[in-house]
Amino acid sequence: MYMKKILCLLYLLSIFCFSHAQNENTYLEQKIDSTLSGMTIREKAGQLNQLDGRGTIENLKILIRKGEIGSVMNITEPEIVNELQEIAYKQSRSGIPLVFTRDVVHGFKTMLPIPLGQAATFHPELIQKGARIAAIEATEHGVRWSFAPMIDISRDARWGRIAESFGEDTYLTEQMAVAVVNGFQGDNLSNPQSMAACAKHFIGYGAVEGGRDYNSTFIPERRLRNVYLPPFEAATKAGAATFMTSFNDNDGIPSTGNAFILKNVLRDEWEFDGFVVTDWASASEMISHGFAAGSKEAAMKSVNAGVDMEMVSYTFVKELPELVKEGKVKESTIDEAVRNILRIKYRLGLFDTPYVDEQQTSVMYAPSHLEAAKQAAVESAILLKNDKEVLPLQPSVKTVAVVGPMANAPYEQLGTWIFDGEKARTQTPLNAIKEMVGDKVQVIYEPGLAYSREKNPASVAKAAATAARADVILAFVGEESILSGEAHCLADLDLQGDQGALITALAKTGKPVVTIVMAGRPLTIGKEVEESTAVLYSFHPGTMGGPALADLLWGKAVP
């Protein structure tokens, strides 16, 4: 009898929760319809228009006042965010707030390892914590929407954006996608410290031919569904607020004009109710693809395919009113796009709390943030070799030589997509090692090369001669941050410059050589591994890379 009562109560509770959710959704849709009903076609097109806020903002103010902008990118000064929001909210006729966005990819100020390094942790809970930290820091600056996670399956290390991905495995990428979405968005999107996620790039961008950025793909539907779509479906189920179309065309159809993926799959199959934004000018780039004859056709094909917001191309705001008059785009299609955008703006709480608190206490680089970043860097490192059990370094080691261009390169170790990263706050391996060992171990620093691409045989020889005085040589090599990321594809994946020669020269000293690689992608380092006594591979580790690597080298942490 007691169990029957419990089951009855649970049943009634489930009915109440379902009914409450239905009422909330109905109320939200009524508010959206009310807002939409008073808008002109020009204002509707304006909601679909996203512009870059860098540079002069006077023109932005004019367009915002006229209701011709729905979102602004790349403004991170709270006072400017509030000034522009005031114009949108109080001075535009429709009173619709803006949503401010930024590429917050692996941190805002406190940088975690690049996403490829995050994948190497195999620790979704830690990555979710990192995304939550990024959201807390970014929202303090007025950023309420991030262009992440990037969940393209990436299997060609020549592609520069492999650094920004979670790698080659579909299941792992699904788990990381959910972790980042949950971290960014939290339990309630309307929380001022929550930030809308954007699942990108939809779809197949990581499979570009030859590893060449922006190139074409040919992915049959079976492979698309088995390999490339599952992470995006997982992001949808996790509640990702937005999606971004990819630059590539697949089998001749650019993603920005692909109704099959945007309508049939995303809307109909997965029941996604957020909004879709193009990548940077990818609507107008359909002209270059030969898929659209001009800006009018690009706008028509994008909107009719299921795109809701256009990034920086201006074709929507310029062409849609005329396309509606001509009957080539239904006004109901534009209404649905506006409805999708308004739904996310309401969920973000922007209509109730449009402004960022300029007086709040800053949480940038909070100790807990730095500790999480350090832990992520520790767990992202991979031990490739450890001959003679040289690691962890023993108390008998009294002198270490620290060499290589990545030993004290605060900007380079942050990796790609670090708009807001600050090299002055980066903790490098050299400084972390000195702090750790104090006066117990002598640290000899001779970089050998000033940067990863430098060719300087004389400096290499000097570094080897200096390092020969040490008990153990720690060689920090890899890639500068600019060598990976968007539009930074490489045909040659060997260590750049004279880094290979540096490892060879160090090996000839006869002293144990511990090689630490800090890079944005997998590299072809077979020769260097053979010549080294031990090898630690650390994808660009972020702000706390130095302390993390020092802990690993001395055994305070285990790779």
Side-chain angles (χ1 to χ4, degrees), residues 374-449:
K374 179 183 175 182
Q375 188 61 31
V378 165
E379 295 190 27
S380 71
I382 305 157
L383 183 66
L384 295 181
K385 182 180 182 180
N386 192 21
D387 282 0
K388 304 175 184 177
E389 295 187 345
V390 65
L391 294 179
L393 298 176
Q394 299 301 310
S396 57
V397 173
K398 298 301 181 184
T399 307
V400 295
V402 176
V403 300
M406 296 297 291
N408 194 35
Y411 180 82
E412 311 306 342
Q413 78 177 53
L414 293 178
T416 186
W417 289 109
I418 49 166
F419 287 145
D420 302 289
E422 298 173 301
K423 67 178 185 179
R425 300 300 296 263
T426 304
Q427 300 188 34
T428 67
L430 175 65
N431 292 333
I433 289 168
K434 286 181 175 179
E435 184 175 341
M436 172 180 284
V437 301
D439 57 4
K440 296 176 184 176
V441 177
Q442 182 186 2
V443 178
I444 304 168
Y445 174 55
E446 186 61 57
L449 298 168

Side-chain angles (χ1 to χ4, degrees), residues 264-319:
N264 297 19
V265 175
L266 184 60
R267 296 291 182 188
D268 297 342
E269 293 182 25
W270 298 347
E271 298 180 340
F272 175 70
D273 71 349
F275 71 84
V276 176
V277 64
T278 73
D279 207 333
W280 185 282
S282 67
S284 60
E285 282 191 5
M286 292 199 300
I287 302 167
S288 303
H289 280 281
F291 192 73
S295 65
K296 182 175 280 190
E297 189 174 2
M300 178 187 73
K301 287 190 170 181
S302 299
V303 169
N304 285 341
V307 170
D308 301 306
M309 182 180 285
E310 177 188 40
M311 188 189 297
V312 309
S313 291
Y314 286 95
T315 71
F316 284 18
V317 73
K318 176 185 173 186
E319 307 288 2

Side-chain angles (χ1 to χ4, degrees), residues 244-360:
M244 181 187 290
T245 59
S246 55
F247 283 118
N248 60 290
D249 66 274
N250 185 49
D251 196 19
I253 303 176
S255 293
T256 303
N258 192 329
F260 169 70
I261 62 168
L262 297 178
K263 288 186 173 179
N264 297 19
V265 175
L266 184 60
R267 296 291 182 188
D268 297 342
E269 293 182 25
W270 298 347
E271 298 180 340
F272 175 70
D273 71 349
F275 71 84
V276 176
V277 64
T278 73
D279 207 333
W280 185 282
S282 67
S284 60
E285 282 191 5
M286 292 199 300
I287 302 167
S288 303
H289 280 281
F291 192 73
S295 65
K296 182 175 280 190
E297 189 174 2
M300 178 187 73
K301 287 190 170 181
S302 299
V303 169
N304 285 341
V307 170
D308 301 306
M309 182 180 285
E310 177 188 40
M311 188 189 297
V312 309
S313 291
Y314 286 95
T315 71
F316 284 18
V317 73
K318 176 185 173 186
E319 307 288 2
L320 287 179
E322 189 63 28
L323 284 165
V324 170
K325 285 182 182 178
E326 295 173 1
K328 294 178 180 177
V329 173
K330 294 178 181 177
E331 187 164 0
S332 60
T333 300
I334 297 176
D335 287 351
E336 191 57 34
V338 176
R339 197 172 273 114
N340 292 332
I341 292 166
L342 291 177
R343 188 176 296 116
I344 297 305
K345 288 186 176 184
Y346 272 112
R347 286 178 180 167
L348 282 166
L350 293 174
F351 282 87
D352 297 320
T353 313
Y355 308 113
V356 59
D357 181 1
E358 296 179 40
Q359 306 304 318
Q360 62 186 303

Side-chain angles (χ1 to χ4, degrees), residues 503-546:
I503 299 298
T504 300
L506 296 173
K508 287 179 179 178
T509 66
K511 298 298 179 69
V513 177
V514 179
T515 296
I516 303 96
V517 183
M518 302 162 74
R521 54 161 61 82
L523 297 173
T524 48
I525 53 171
K527 179 180 77 71
E528 290 78 14
V529 170
E530 285 295 317
E531 293 174 339
S532 303
T533 314
V535 179
L536 264 177
Y537 206 100
S538 171
F539 297 102
H540 286 141
T543 302
M544 295 297 288

Side-chain angles (χ1 to χ4, degrees), residues 454-466:
E454 185 184 26
K455 294 185 176 183
N456 191 333
S459 192
V460 166
K462 179 184 176 185
T466 302

